Amino acid sequence: MNKPPMVSPSSSSSAAPRPLHIVAVARHRLGRVLARLIPELAAEAHIELVGHAFDDAVAAVRALHARSPVDAVVAAGASGEWLRQHLDIPVAMVEVRGFDLMRALAAARAISPKVGLVSFDGPSEHLAQLDALFAMGIAQFSYRSPDDAPACVEALRAAGVGAVVAPGLVSDLAEQAGMASVLMYSDDAVRQALQDAVHLARHSRADRARHERLGTILGQLQDGVVAVDVRQRIEALNPVMADLLGAPVAELAGRVLSDVEPVLDLGATLLLRETPPEEVLQIGMRTLVVRRAPIVENGEVTGALLVCRDPAVIQRADRHLRANQRQRGAPARYRIEAFAGDSAPARRVRELAAQCAASDATVLVIGESGTGKELVAQGIHTASRRASQPFLAVNCAALSESLLESELFGYEEGAFTGARRGGKTGLIEAAHTGTLFLDEIGDMPLALQTRLLRVLQEREVLRLGATAPVPVDLRVIAATHADLAAQVERGLFRRDLYYRLAVLRIETPPLRERGGDIAALAASLLARRRGAAGVPAAPASAWLAALLELAAGYSWPGNVRELENLVERLLACHGYLSPAGRLDRDRLLEVFPECTQARPAPVRERLLKGARVAAERQRVREVLQSVQGDQNQACAILGISRSTLWRRLREEEPAA
């Protein structure tokens, strides 16, 4: 018999467990015995007696099961075997034990010397041998269905049987035909069958509960899941898998999976007892990622499991995770000490940031681009009481007004065309208990400035399309490279918001004002990046020293970010800068032309001319080497005359 497929139940109840439900199936004399003994187990189970047999009994039990799940059935004889074959409910059989049979035969022999024994499973060879040995005078008869019973009784009469030992139906028919009868089932055998039914019912109830719990779990999975036995017959599957296979769950239960969908064959998994790598398969018009695994119980393979996942689900989950990670923000990486440098301006920033971290007031960080404004904001957050809470950052200049509004404030489902199902949590709401960093606040549109001001004043946020505001507890740190005070005077920035933001103020100094820090910062950047570039420490330090010498007096308009870029360029071009293992200063000037801007114009022009001359001379030498010194061939390749070739070889770099 096939187990019912595992599916998610439609409902669940928190009420007290219902009593065990057992159905006893019997008619005639056995039915009367059951009716007499059933009350003995009233405290353990609710037992109903059904006076039917065979197909009628099957229909009656199914009808009762539809109203209230039947946990077990009690039956006997041929009708009991019939129920076992046609029901998915455990059946406890009233067994005819040896002592009971001998007692019944003895009772019949006391009535008549000619005894007939009727059974549904055919004559017993052992009893026939016993009868031949002791001349007990026992004639054996059998029947298979109720229709056979009258003919069996006629055969008993024709054989001259005076007393019959038989099941209930034949026993009653024999008495109606004038023959004495003894019921082959004793009270003890019936009582034991009822007790067996109680045990079966308890196991059945527990098994069904586990089955339903697993079905609930499978039903909630987005993946298609199917479990099969060792013959690949489907034992359990969820609705997603049924949909992939194109048939209802009930129709798929018990079918061979490889017959339903050959590409999902699990034969190799069952044979090899191992989990193969995931595969990408085409099932109909759908592409699926498939994973197979054997099911091992007590060291034996009892089946296999197959999981099908739609790549679109994987992609959606990946997008959701990445979007959620971005929305919640990466953890603050920097501490206040990360604003490195021994110059007075750098020490002042660290001291002031530490003071701001002790407060919960709004902070305005002002400074040129690349001076470390976000680093300072993260340092304040990590030193504050909110360090374990979210740190979320948004660049107010990088998004359009509508997009920035939805990012900051979020929206309800249906707030506008294309709004995400279920709505979206804005950054202000997501930063609850943490810190929100608003970079380039000076570029925030005036309309959003008004909404932000309300958040700072009322400490609550209203999503787009919502009617009820949500309270928030957050700290705001804003940063800008603009002169907000001047923007206020020009009407480009709200005065009230400016004063709300500038409760605490920190100005990050430009790199040109931190002259003493440049070499240390550059060395620190070089140390962090040198290993990834595969550059040894000694030459890298020498190249950096040459670069900083070249950049003496440079104004560093890009500040620390520009210094980072130059260090990256130095490492990326190290092979070109030292073709013979030694630094080529002409090439250094070629790779870093902006560093000459610190020199006076005449000197800068001579340096640049020297770099061009050096590059031309190097090109001539390389071509001559490639043609083994043939000047005519070299001139042809370079497209110059021999006099020009000679002049380039003789030219010297102008002095700086």
Side-chain angles (χ1 to χ4, degrees), residues 490-524:
R490 294 198 299 270
L492 301 177
F493 200 85
R494 289 185 62 102
R495 188 181 299 274
D496 44 7
L497 178 59
Y498 171 69
Y499 289 119
R500 279 283 181 183
L501 293 174
V503 177
L504 301 175
R505 236 179 114 97
I506 297 178
E507 186 170 351
T508 53
L511 195 56
R512 60 182 173 274
E513 296 179 6
R514 303 170 56 190
D517 294 338
I518 294 176
L521 287 172
S524 176

mmCIF file of all heavy atoms in Angstrom, residues 490-524:
data_model
loop_
_atom_site.group_PDB
_atom_site.id
_atom_site.type_symbol
_atom_site.label_atom_id
_atom_site.label_comp_id
_atom_site.label_asym_id
_atom_site.label_seq_id
_atom_site.Cartn_x
_atom_site.Cartn_y
_atom_site.Cartn_z
ATOM 1 N N ARG A 490 21.770 82.364 0.096
ATOM 2 C CA ARG A 490 21.280 82.412 -1.295
ATOM 3 C C ARG A 490 19.931 81.703 -1.444
ATOM 4 O O ARG A 490 19.404 81.618 -2.550
ATOM 5 C CB ARG A 490 22.302 81.773 -2.235
ATOM 6 C CG ARG A 490 23.617 82.542 -2.322
ATOM 7 C CD ARG A 490 24.406 82.128 -3.557
ATOM 8 N NE ARG A 490 24.753 80.713 -3.545
ATOM 9 C CZ ARG A 490 25.875 80.220 -3.018
ATOM 10 N NH1 ARG A 490 26.748 81.053 -2.442
ATOM 11 N NH2 ARG A 490 26.139 78.942 -3.049
ATOM 12 N N GLY A 491 19.400 81.164 -0.361
ATOM 13 C CA GLY A 491 18.097 80.498 -0.417
ATOM 14 C C GLY A 491 18.152 79.095 -0.983
ATOM 15 O O GLY A 491 17.115 78.536 -1.359
ATOM 16 N N LEU A 492 19.338 78.490 -1.030
ATOM 17 C CA LEU A 492 19.497 77.143 -1.584
ATOM 18 C C LEU A 492 19.440 76.064 -0.508
ATOM 19 O O LEU A 492 19.397 74.872 -0.828
ATOM 20 C CB LEU A 492 20.826 77.042 -2.340
ATOM 21 C CG LEU A 492 20.998 78.017 -3.508
ATOM 22 C CD1 LEU A 492 22.382 77.856 -4.122
ATOM 23 C CD2 LEU A 492 19.915 77.775 -4.567
ATOM 24 N N PHE A 493 19.472 76.499 0.766
ATOM 25 C CA PHE A 493 19.424 75.522 1.851
ATOM 26 C C PHE A 493 18.613 76.128 2.989
ATOM 27 O O PHE A 493 18.771 77.314 3.317
ATOM 28 C CB PHE A 493 20.843 75.175 2.336
ATOM 29 C CG PHE A 493 20.921 73.874 3.086
ATOM 30 C CD1 PHE A 493 21.072 72.674 2.414
ATOM 31 C CD2 PHE A 493 20.841 73.839 4.475
ATOM 32 C CE1 PHE A 493 21.144 71.472 3.095
ATOM 33 C CE2 PHE A 493 20.902 72.648 5.172
ATOM 34 C CZ PHE A 493 21.057 71.450 4.475
ATOM 35 N N ARG A 494 17.755 75.299 3.587
ATOM 36 C CA ARG A 494 16.872 75.798 4.646
ATOM 37 C C ARG A 494 17.690 76.207 5.869
ATOM 38 O O ARG A 494 18.539 75.443 6.356
ATOM 39 C CB ARG A 494 15.862 74.732 5.049
ATOM 40 C CG ARG A 494 14.791 74.454 4.004
ATOM 41 C CD ARG A 494 13.775 73.469 4.575
ATOM 42 N NE ARG A 494 13.106 74.028 5.741
ATOM 43 C CZ ARG A 494 11.880 74.539 5.725
ATOM 44 N NH1 ARG A 494 11.206 74.576 4.583
ATOM 45 N NH2 ARG A 494 11.341 75.019 6.818
ATOM 46 N N ARG A 495 17.399 77.408 6.348
ATOM 47 C CA ARG A 495 18.124 77.910 7.512
ATOM 48 C C ARG A 495 17.858 77.052 8.756
ATOM 49 O O ARG A 495 18.780 76.722 9.514
ATOM 50 C CB ARG A 495 17.716 79.366 7.779
ATOM 51 C CG ARG A 495 18.555 80.062 8.858
ATOM 52 C CD ARG A 495 18.080 81.484 9.066
ATOM 53 N NE ARG A 495 18.203 82.269 7.850
ATOM 54 C CZ ARG A 495 19.326 82.917 7.493
ATOM 55 N NH1 ARG A 495 20.404 82.844 8.263
ATOM 56 N NH2 ARG A 495 19.350 83.619 6.385
ATOM 57 N N ASP A 496 16.573 76.673 8.962
ATOM 58 C CA ASP A 496 16.247 75.899 10.156
ATOM 59 C C ASP A 496 16.902 74.520 10.131
ATOM 60 O O ASP A 496 17.353 74.005 11.151
ATOM 61 C CB ASP A 496 14.735 75.784 10.334
ATOM 62 C CG ASP A 496 14.009 75.456 9.037
ATOM 63 O OD1 ASP A 496 14.691 75.184 8.027
ATOM 64 O OD2 ASP A 496 12.758 75.482 9.027
ATOM 65 N N LEU A 497 16.980 73.914 8.940
ATOM 66 C CA LEU A 497 17.648 72.619 8.846
ATOM 67 C C LEU A 497 19.146 72.768 9.097
ATOM 68 O O LEU A 497 19.766 71.907 9.746
ATOM 69 C CB LEU A 497 17.398 71.993 7.466
ATOM 70 C CG LEU A 497 18.086 70.644 7.204
ATOM 71 C CD1 LEU A 497 17.653 69.596 8.230
ATOM 72 C CD2 LEU A 497 17.797 70.147 5.790
ATOM 73 N N TYR A 498 19.725 73.857 8.596
ATOM 74 C CA TYR A 498 21.160 74.095 8.795
ATOM 75 C C TYR A 498 21.488 74.123 10.280
ATOM 76 O O TYR A 498 22.441 73.496 10.735
ATOM 77 C CB TYR A 498 21.569 75.404 8.121
ATOM 78 C CG TYR A 498 22.977 75.842 8.449
ATOM 79 C CD1 TYR A 498 24.069 75.136 7.973
ATOM 80 C CD2 TYR A 498 23.201 76.953 9.259
ATOM 81 C CE1 TYR A 498 25.365 75.536 8.273
ATOM 82 C CE2 TYR A 498 24.483 77.367 9.573
ATOM 83 C CZ TYR A 498 25.572 76.653 9.077
ATOM 84 O OH TYR A 498 26.844 77.041 9.385
ATOM 85 N N TYR A 499 20.671 74.822 11.056
ATOM 86 C CA TYR A 499 20.943 74.913 12.485
ATOM 87 C C TYR A 499 20.659 73.592 13.206
ATOM 88 O O TYR A 499 21.266 73.296 14.236
ATOM 89 C CB TYR A 499 20.149 76.065 13.107
ATOM 90 C CG TYR A 499 20.680 77.413 12.676
ATOM 91 C CD1 TYR A 499 19.880 78.312 11.971
ATOM 92 C CD2 TYR A 499 21.991 77.782 12.963
ATOM 93 C CE1 TYR A 499 20.368 79.542 11.556
ATOM 94 C CE2 TYR A 499 22.493 79.012 12.558
ATOM 95 C CZ TYR A 499 21.685 79.890 11.852
ATOM 96 O OH TYR A 499 22.190 81.099 11.444
ATOM 97 N N ARG A 500 19.731 72.810 12.658
ATOM 98 C CA ARG A 500 19.480 71.489 13.237
ATOM 99 C C ARG A 500 20.669 70.555 13.004
ATOM 100 O O ARG A 500 20.990 69.709 13.843
ATOM 101 C CB ARG A 500 18.223 70.863 12.611
ATOM 102 C CG ARG A 500 16.931 71.364 13.212
ATOM 103 C CD ARG A 500 16.685 70.719 14.558
ATOM 104 N NE ARG A 500 15.427 71.170 15.154
ATOM 105 C CZ ARG A 500 15.014 70.809 16.350
ATOM 106 N NH1 ARG A 500 15.761 69.999 17.089
ATOM 107 N NH2 ARG A 500 13.882 71.257 16.830
ATOM 108 N N LEU A 501 21.312 70.715 11.844
ATOM 109 C CA LEU A 501 22.427 69.831 11.497
ATOM 110 C C LEU A 501 23.724 70.246 12.177
ATOM 111 O O LEU A 501 24.546 69.400 12.543
ATOM 112 C CB LEU A 501 22.640 69.811 9.978
ATOM 113 C CG LEU A 501 21.533 69.178 9.141
ATOM 114 C CD1 LEU A 501 21.809 69.374 7.660
ATOM 115 C CD2 LEU A 501 21.402 67.688 9.452
ATOM 116 N N ALA A 502 23.941 71.531 12.313
ATOM 117 C CA ALA A 502 25.230 72.044 12.784
ATOM 118 C C ALA A 502 25.276 72.210 14.293
ATOM 119 O O ALA A 502 25.884 73.157 14.805
ATOM 120 C CB ALA A 502 25.538 73.365 12.084
ATOM 121 N N VAL A 503 24.655 71.283 15.017
ATOM 122 C CA VAL A 503 24.751 71.347 16.479
ATOM 123 C C VAL A 503 26.206 71.128 16.890
ATOM 124 O O VAL A 503 26.781 71.885 17.673
ATOM 125 C CB VAL A 503 23.836 70.291 17.120
ATOM 126 C CG1 VAL A 503 23.984 70.301 18.637
ATOM 127 C CG2 VAL A 503 22.393 70.524 16.715
ATOM 128 N N LEU A 504 26.803 70.077 16.324
ATOM 129 C CA LEU A 504 28.240 69.834 16.491
ATOM 130 C C LEU A 504 28.888 69.957 15.121
ATOM 131 O O LEU A 504 28.295 69.558 14.121
ATOM 132 C CB LEU A 504 28.489 68.434 17.078
ATOM 133 C CG LEU A 504 27.852 68.150 18.444
ATOM 134 C CD1 LEU A 504 28.074 66.706 18.839
ATOM 135 C CD2 LEU A 504 28.406 69.093 19.509
ATOM 136 N N ARG A 505 30.109 70.457 15.097
ATOM 137 C CA ARG A 505 30.747 70.765 13.815
ATOM 138 C C ARG A 505 32.183 70.290 13.821
ATOM 139 O O ARG A 505 32.912 70.492 14.777
ATOM 140 C CB ARG A 505 30.771 72.277 13.636
ATOM 141 C CG ARG A 505 30.135 72.808 12.397
ATOM 142 C CD ARG A 505 30.264 74.324 12.459
ATOM 143 N NE ARG A 505 31.119 74.813 11.430
ATOM 144 C CZ ARG A 505 30.689 75.291 10.282
ATOM 145 N NH1 ARG A 505 29.405 75.357 10.057
ATOM 146 N NH2 ARG A 505 31.513 75.704 9.381
ATOM 147 N N ILE A 506 32.573 69.626 12.732
ATOM 148 C CA ILE A 506 33.966 69.214 12.550
ATOM 149 C C ILE A 506 34.372 69.578 11.128
ATOM 150 O O ILE A 506 33.625 69.304 10.182
ATOM 151 C CB ILE A 506 34.150 67.699 12.760
ATOM 152 C CG1 ILE A 506 33.794 67.302 14.194
ATOM 153 C CG2 ILE A 506 35.577 67.273 12.444
ATOM 154 C CD1 ILE A 506 33.913 65.823 14.468
ATOM 155 N N GLU A 507 35.536 70.161 10.991
ATOM 156 C CA GLU A 507 36.053 70.482 9.657
ATOM 157 C C GLU A 507 37.278 69.619 9.394
ATOM 158 O O GLU A 507 38.239 69.635 10.168
ATOM 159 C CB GLU A 507 36.417 71.961 9.556
ATOM 160 C CG GLU A 507 36.816 72.373 8.153
ATOM 161 C CD GLU A 507 36.933 73.875 7.994
ATOM 162 O OE1 GLU A 507 36.544 74.601 8.926
ATOM 163 O OE2 GLU A 507 37.426 74.318 6.932
ATOM 164 N N THR A 508 37.213 68.822 8.323
ATOM 165 C CA THR A 508 38.355 67.971 7.967
ATOM 166 C C THR A 508 39.313 68.786 7.100
ATOM 167 O O THR A 508 38.928 69.319 6.058
ATOM 168 C CB THR A 508 37.882 66.728 7.197
ATOM 169 O OG1 THR A 508 37.074 67.126 6.086
ATOM 170 C CG2 THR A 508 37.058 65.820 8.092
ATOM 171 N N PRO A 509 40.574 68.909 7.505
ATOM 172 C CA PRO A 509 41.526 69.769 6.786
ATOM 173 C C PRO A 509 41.955 69.153 5.461
ATOM 174 O O PRO A 509 42.055 67.927 5.343
ATOM 175 C CB PRO A 509 42.697 69.868 7.757
ATOM 176 C CG PRO A 509 42.641 68.585 8.527
ATOM 177 C CD PRO A 509 41.195 68.263 8.669
ATOM 178 N N PRO A 510 42.220 69.977 4.457
ATOM 179 C CA PRO A 510 42.744 69.457 3.189
ATOM 180 C C PRO A 510 44.174 68.963 3.382
ATOM 181 O O PRO A 510 44.879 69.363 4.313
ATOM 182 C CB PRO A 510 42.679 70.659 2.252
ATOM 183 C CG PRO A 510 42.728 71.840 3.155
ATOM 184 C CD PRO A 510 42.043 71.441 4.411
ATOM 185 N N LEU A 511 44.618 68.106 2.474
ATOM 186 C CA LEU A 511 45.941 67.501 2.595
ATOM 187 C C LEU A 511 47.053 68.540 2.506
ATOM 188 O O LEU A 511 48.113 68.379 3.113
ATOM 189 C CB LEU A 511 46.106 66.423 1.511
ATOM 190 C CG LEU A 511 47.272 65.447 1.680
ATOM 191 C CD1 LEU A 511 47.204 64.738 3.014
ATOM 192 C CD2 LEU A 511 47.277 64.431 0.538
ATOM 193 N N ARG A 512 46.816 69.602 1.759
ATOM 194 C CA ARG A 512 47.862 70.621 1.617
ATOM 195 C C ARG A 512 48.162 71.323 2.938
ATOM 196 O O ARG A 512 49.217 71.945 3.094
ATOM 197 C CB ARG A 512 47.446 71.650 0.560
ATOM 198 C CG ARG A 512 46.174 72.398 0.863
ATOM 199 C CD ARG A 512 45.809 73.365 -0.251
ATOM 200 N NE ARG A 512 44.502 73.967 -0.021
ATOM 201 C CZ ARG A 512 43.351 73.422 -0.388
ATOM 202 N NH1 ARG A 512 43.365 72.263 -1.024
ATOM 203 N NH2 ARG A 512 42.205 74.025 -0.140
ATOM 204 N N GLU A 513 47.210 71.256 3.896
ATOM 205 C CA GLU A 513 47.444 71.841 5.211
ATOM 206 C C GLU A 513 48.025 70.833 6.194
ATOM 207 O O GLU A 513 48.221 71.145 7.367
ATOM 208 C CB GLU A 513 46.130 72.406 5.765
ATOM 209 C CG GLU A 513 45.570 73.563 4.947
ATOM 210 C CD GLU A 513 44.256 74.078 5.513
ATOM 211 O OE1 GLU A 513 43.857 73.602 6.612
ATOM 212 O OE2 GLU A 513 43.633 74.940 4.872
ATOM 213 N N ARG A 514 48.255 69.616 5.706
ATOM 214 C CA ARG A 514 48.806 68.561 6.569
ATOM 215 C C ARG A 514 50.126 68.074 5.994
ATOM 216 O O ARG A 514 50.377 66.871 5.884
ATOM 217 C CB ARG A 514 47.822 67.398 6.669
ATOM 218 C CG ARG A 514 46.444 67.790 7.180
ATOM 219 C CD ARG A 514 45.464 66.638 7.018
ATOM 220 N NE ARG A 514 45.925 65.419 7.688
ATOM 221 C CZ ARG A 514 45.359 64.224 7.547
ATOM 222 N NH1 ARG A 514 44.308 64.097 6.721
ATOM 223 N NH2 ARG A 514 45.833 63.183 8.183
ATOM 224 N N GLY A 515 50.981 69.023 5.603
ATOM 225 C CA GLY A 515 52.224 68.670 4.927
ATOM 226 C C GLY A 515 53.016 67.599 5.626
ATOM 227 O O GLY A 515 53.603 66.708 4.985
ATOM 228 N N GLY A 516 53.079 67.672 6.952
ATOM 229 C CA GLY A 516 53.858 66.686 7.688
ATOM 230 C C GLY A 516 53.264 65.297 7.670
ATOM 231 O O GLY A 516 53.936 64.330 8.052
ATOM 232 N N ASP A 517 52.010 65.156 7.248
ATOM 233 C CA ASP A 517 51.343 63.841 7.255
ATOM 234 C C ASP A 517 51.432 63.120 5.918
ATOM 235 O O ASP A 517 51.141 61.927 5.848
ATOM 236 C CB ASP A 517 49.862 63.998 7.616
ATOM 237 C CG ASP A 517 49.662 64.487 9.036
ATOM 238 O OD1 ASP A 517 50.583 64.306 9.853
ATOM 239 O OD2 ASP A 517 48.581 65.040 9.314
ATOM 240 N N ILE A 518 51.827 63.854 4.863
ATOM 241 C CA ILE A 518 51.744 63.263 3.517
ATOM 242 C C ILE A 518 52.620 62.029 3.401
ATOM 243 O O ILE A 518 52.178 60.972 2.924
ATOM 244 C CB ILE A 518 52.116 64.307 2.449
ATOM 245 C CG1 ILE A 518 51.062 65.427 2.423
ATOM 246 C CG2 ILE A 518 52.227 63.651 1.077
ATOM 247 C CD1 ILE A 518 51.388 66.561 1.479
ATOM 248 N N ALA A 519 53.881 62.134 3.827
ATOM 249 C CA ALA A 519 54.799 61.003 3.687
ATOM 250 C C ALA A 519 54.304 59.803 4.494
ATOM 251 O O ALA A 519 54.337 58.655 4.024
ATOM 252 C CB ALA A 519 56.201 61.409 4.125
ATOM 253 N N ALA A 520 53.843 60.044 5.738
ATOM 254 C CA ALA A 520 53.366 58.939 6.578
ATOM 255 C C ALA A 520 52.111 58.297 5.989
ATOM 256 O O ALA A 520 51.964 57.073 5.987
ATOM 257 C CB ALA A 520 53.090 59.452 7.989
ATOM 258 N N LEU A 521 51.172 59.117 5.488
ATOM 259 C CA LEU A 521 49.960 58.577 4.873
ATOM 260 C C LEU A 521 50.298 57.750 3.637
ATOM 261 O O LEU A 521 49.754 56.658 3.435
ATOM 262 C CB LEU A 521 49.010 59.720 4.497
ATOM 263 C CG LEU A 521 48.285 60.413 5.655
ATOM 264 C CD1 LEU A 521 47.536 61.640 5.135
ATOM 265 C CD2 LEU A 521 47.314 59.463 6.337
ATOM 266 N N ALA A 522 51.209 58.288 2.808
ATOM 267 C CA ALA A 522 51.593 57.569 1.588
ATOM 268 C C ALA A 522 52.260 56.243 1.928
ATOM 269 O O ALA A 522 51.998 55.214 1.287
ATOM 270 C CB ALA A 522 52.515 58.436 0.740
ATOM 271 N N ALA A 523 53.119 56.239 2.943
ATOM 272 C CA ALA A 523 53.786 54.995 3.341
ATOM 273 C C ALA A 523 52.785 53.974 3.860
ATOM 274 O O ALA A 523 52.896 52.775 3.588
ATOM 275 C CB ALA A 523 54.844 55.302 4.403
ATOM 276 N N SER A 524 51.798 54.454 4.625
ATOM 277 C CA SER A 524 50.770 53.549 5.133
ATOM 278 C C SER A 524 49.949 52.953 3.998
ATOM 279 O O SER A 524 49.659 51.751 3.980
ATOM 280 C CB SER A 524 49.864 54.306 6.102
ATOM 281 O OG SER A 524 48.796 53.489 6.537
#
